[in-house]
């Protein structure tokens, strides 16, 4: 038989561990989507700068296309907030 | 541009050149130009990307000469400006591609001087897009004797070939052999330069494609001249056909069998279609040499377009743009010169690569 003190300690440990896992999951959600957005923007940004260098009129559209992958980070952020709260 | 890690510089350059390619004169515009008179054509060209050169040169030249010089200058400037935006390895390969203009310029100067043409007239057709810049070309043009011009070229990469072949060419007044030898050495150098360079494989593939098309055009040209016998010396080694193989195909007397022999060796679909088309009843005899050559050039451009789509971030988009730009200038020159000589539009159309 396990005594009461040990049982309370075990529950506390499990709770702490759950909190830690949540924090790690939230961090991963933001960081991985952040890296993915960076990777996507890297190619789009290079092309956008190239297109703008040739034709200034496309600057607005090029900027818009460059930031579209940012939406992935927003999804990541929402997911991480849902995990935490 | 400093060497950056990753494909970013390739994406940047690829996009810039795609935008530039989209700005080139479209097919419909050529058809429209063909139906115009010379003054209208001049005005139309003035409204395009050539405006700046035309404005700059309008004090020194006029009429058709102005258009001619403005086109050459624009081409050279475009090529040199392009080199500035290319990333490291591509810059190296592109400048070795551009060295062909040196051969063309040197030969134009030698031929012009040999025929006693004034320096101004020769200068009009020079395209200073290679390593020998405009100032050096002016020095060459200032010399009167071709022998002295050759001496001035001592530091040039192709000087050994030039020195070896020049005497015979000068004596006979026939520069074709010299030209052939220079191009052979040029292609050999270009392939040697590209070996071991990052992204060099795609460039070698392009050079091989160009050699193949060039050899095929030469085969058709030699056949049109009804010259029998040894043709190996006119063929450029390094392509997918060996020179012995080309000689073997050339030796086939019957025209249909000659085309069949080529078709057996070729795998490229567009090229097969052109050969198939030539095989049709009487087409081989009916079509002019010019038409056959242009059909082959179109195959080359189509293949380059295909490779550009397959490898969007390589040297292909750059080479495709360079070639298309070159043909735009050739086309505009053909239209203006043709109109000046009062050729009918259908005749001029035969010379255009659209």
């Amino acid at each position: 038989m396990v005594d009461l003190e040990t049982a309370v300690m075990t529950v506390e440990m499990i709770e702490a561990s759950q909190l830690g896992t949540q924090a790690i999951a939230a961090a991963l959600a933001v960081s991985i989507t952040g890296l993915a957005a960076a990777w996507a923007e890297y190619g789009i940004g290079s092309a956008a700068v190239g297109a703008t260098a040739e034709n200034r009129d496309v600057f607005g559209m090029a900027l818009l296309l460059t930031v579209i992958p940012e939406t992935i980070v927003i999804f990541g952020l929402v997911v991480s907030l849902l995990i935490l709260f | 541009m400093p060497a950056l890690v990753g494909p970013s510089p390739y994406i940047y350059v690829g996009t810039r050149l795609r935008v530039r390619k989209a700005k080139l004169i479209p097919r419909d515009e050529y058809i429209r130009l063909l139906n115009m008179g010379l003054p209208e054509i001049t005005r139309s060209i003035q409204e395009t990307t050539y405006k700046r050169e035309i404005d700059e040169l309008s004090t020194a030249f006029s009429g058709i000469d102005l258009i001619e010089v403005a086109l050459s200058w624009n081409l050279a400037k475009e090529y040199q400006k392009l080199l500035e935006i290319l990333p490291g390895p591509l810059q190296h390969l592109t400048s070795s591609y551009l060295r062909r203009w040196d051969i063309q310029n040197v030969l134009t100067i030698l031929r012009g001087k040999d025929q006693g043409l004034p320096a101004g007239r020769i200068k009009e057709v020079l395209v200073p897009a290679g390593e020998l810049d405009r100032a050096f070309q002016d020095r060459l043009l200032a010399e009167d004797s071709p022998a002295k011009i050759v001496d001035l070229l001592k530091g040039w990469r192709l000087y050994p070939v030039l020195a070896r072949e020049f005497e015979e060419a000068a004596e006979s007044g026939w520069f074709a052999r010299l030209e052939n030898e220079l191009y052979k050495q040029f292609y050999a150098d270009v392939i040697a330069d590209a070996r071991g360079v990052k992204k060099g494989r795609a460039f070698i593939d392009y050079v091989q494609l160009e050699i193949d098309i060039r050899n095929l055009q030469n085969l058709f040209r030699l056949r049109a001249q009804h010259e029998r016998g040894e043709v190996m010396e006119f063929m450029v080694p390094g392509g997918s056909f060996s020179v012995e193989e080309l000689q073997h195909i050339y030796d086939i007397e019957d025209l249909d069998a000659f085309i069949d022999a080529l078709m057996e060796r070729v795998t490229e679909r567009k090229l097969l279609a052109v050969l198939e088309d030539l095989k049709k009843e009487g087409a081989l005899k009916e079509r002019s040499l010019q038409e056959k050559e242009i059909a082959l050039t179109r195959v080359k451009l189509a293949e380059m377009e295909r490779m550009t789509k397959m490898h969007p971030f390589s040297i292909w988009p750059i080479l495709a743009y360079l070639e298309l730009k070159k043909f735009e200038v050739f086309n505009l020159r053909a239209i203006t010169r043709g109109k000046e000589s009062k050729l009918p539009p259908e005749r001029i159309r035969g010379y255009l690569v659209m």
Side-chain angles (χ1 to χ4, degrees):
Chain A
M1 279 294 285
V2 181
D3 62 62
L4 188 65
E5 205 177 325
T6 315
V8 169
M9 258 181 74
T10 311
V11 170
E12 274 174 7
M13 272 169 68
I14 290 170
E15 275 174 0
S17 154
Q18 273 179 344
L19 210 62
T21 316
Q22 268 183 346
I24 289 171
L28 282 177
V30 175
S31 58
I32 293 175
T33 50
L35 285 172
W39 179 247
E41 278 177 32
Y42 163 69
I44 303 172
S46 306
V49 173
T52 313
E54 288 298 321
N55 182 5
R56 275 161 205 274
D57 299 342
V58 298
F59 176 71
M61 181 59 80
L63 189 70
L64 184 74
L65 291 173
T66 311
V67 297
I68 279 179
E70 289 291 332
T71 49
I72 310 172
V73 190
I74 299 171
F75 294 151
L77 190 69
V78 170
V79 169
S80 76
L81 291 175
L82 285 175
I83 292 169
L84 288 177
F85 305 105
Chain B
M1 188 183 283
L4 297 170
V5 184
S8 165
Y10 299 92
I11 299 174
Y12 169 76
V13 168
T15 315
R16 281 194 79 160
L17 294 186
R18 278 171 83 136
V19 176
R20 282 191 198 186
K21 206 163 80 178
K23 284 186 192 162
L24 292 176
I25 297 175
R27 187 190 162 85
D28 297 346
E29 183 67 17
Y30 286 127
I31 311 273
R32 216 167 61 86
L33 286 173
L34 278 173
N35 295 319
M36 288 179 181
L38 198 53
E40 288 160 301
I41 294 174
T42 315
R43 215 171 313 125
S44 277
I45 294 176
Q46 222 162 354
E47 283 163 11
T48 57
T49 40
Y50 302 95
K51 186 181 184 321
R52 204 170 163 169
E53 283 76 22
I54 291 181
D55 289 347
E56 269 174 27
L57 295 162
S58 58
T59 47
F61 299 92
S62 65
I64 192 152
D65 292 339
L66 172 63
I67 300 287
E68 191 111 332
V69 184
L71 291 176
S72 303
W73 277 45
N74 179 279
L75 187 66
K77 218 154 86 181
E78 184 75 13
Y79 282 0
Q80 294 300 336
K81 261 166 58 188
L82 190 66
L83 281 180
E84 290 168 18
I85 61 165
L86 292 179
L90 295 190
Q91 193 179 54
H92 170 76
L93 296 173
T94 309
S95 53
S96 76
Y97 163 89
L98 290 176
R99 284 207 306 265
R100 76 189 51 218
W101 290 98
D102 291 335
I103 302 183
Q104 186 175 321
N105 291 335
V106 166
L107 283 166
T108 309
I109 295 175
L110 288 176
R111 281 190 175 121
K113 289 287 173 187
D114 192 55
Q115 290 165 14
L117 289 175
R121 198 97 204 104
I122 304 172
K123 200 176 169 179
E124 278 172 28
V125 283
L126 297 182
V127 182
E131 279 175 346
L132 308 178
D133 59 10
R134 203 168 284 154
F136 189 73
Q137 284 176 10
D138 285 341
R139 274 176 61 205
L140 295 180
L141 283 168
E143 291 294 340
D144 275 331
S145 102
K148 278 192 184 150
I149 293 174
V150 173
D151 279 344
L152 271 179
L153 285 162
K154 253 186 188 129
W156 189 35
R157 205 178 149 119
L158 292 171
Y159 176 77
V161 182
L162 182 66
R164 191 180 71 216
E165 299 290 334
F166 173 69
E167 216 162 296
E168 196 190 311
E171 267 173 31
S172 61
W174 193 61
F175 287 86
R177 194 185 139 80
L178 168 66
E179 182 171 3
N180 227 22
E181 292 300 315
L182 284 173
Y183 276 111
K184 271 192 211 168
Q185 187 60 44
F186 163 74
Y187 283 119
D189 285 352
V190 160
I191 293 177
D193 278 358
R195 285 226 166 90
V197 174
K198 200 178 156 203
K199 305 256 176 193
R201 186 63 243 170
F203 186 65
I204 294 177
D205 287 345
Y206 163 73
V207 176
Q208 280 179 340
L209 171 72
E210 192 178 294
I211 293 175
D212 282 346
I213 296 292
R214 201 187 174 94
N215 282 338
L216 289 181
Q217 285 175 333
N218 276 340
L219 275 188
F220 280 109
R221 204 174 297 161
L222 288 162
R223 276 199 88 103
Q225 290 165 359
H226 303 291
E227 272 185 37
R228 306 302 314 163
E230 196 77 5
V231 292
M232 263 150 75
E233 65 164 312
F234 298 107
M235 298 297 145
V236 183
S240 57
F241 294 90
S242 70
V243 279
E244 291 80 16
E245 201 174 357
L246 287 163
Q247 173 74 54
H248 180 68
I249 294 173
Y250 184 76
D251 286 338
I252 300 170
E253 287 267 346
D254 182 51
L255 273 177
D256 282 341
F258 166 72
I259 298 284
D260 281 336
L262 282 177
M263 283 175 78
E264 264 173 38
R265 261 302 263 107
V266 170
T267 50
E268 218 286 287
R269 222 184 309 148
K270 286 251 164 48
L271 187 53
L272 276 172
V274 168
L275 293 172
E276 190 76 51
D277 194 39
L278 284 176
K279 240 184 94 177
K280 277 185 200 149
E281 201 64 48
L284 207 55
K285 283 182 191 133
E286 267 171 32
R287 302 258 169 90
S288 69
L289 177 64
Q290 190 74 33
E291 280 175 293
K292 287 175 205 155
E293 282 186 7
I294 287 181
L296 287 170
T297 307
R298 279 202 203 109
V299 169
K300 183 172 92 171
L301 293 177
E303 176 66 8
M304 291 179 82
E305 195 61 40
R306 195 176 70 87
M307 294 307 277
T308 302
K309 284 184 182 138
M310 274 171 71
H311 308 283
F313 308 126
S314 65
I315 188 132
W316 285 102
I318 297 163
L319 295 171
Y321 173 72
L322 293 175
E323 283 286 296
L324 287 171
K325 177 77 189 171
K326 181 176 86 180
F327 283 114
E328 179 181 280
V329 167
F330 281 4
N331 287 344
L332 289 176
R333 197 175 279 168
I335 292 175
T336 46
R337 280 277 168 219
K339 284 283 173 186
E340 196 208 17
S341 320
K342 306 222 169 4
L343 289 176
E346 306 78 55
R347 181 86 193 280
I348 304 173
R349 203 177 161 169
Y351 289 92
L352 304 184
V353 182
M354 294 190 281

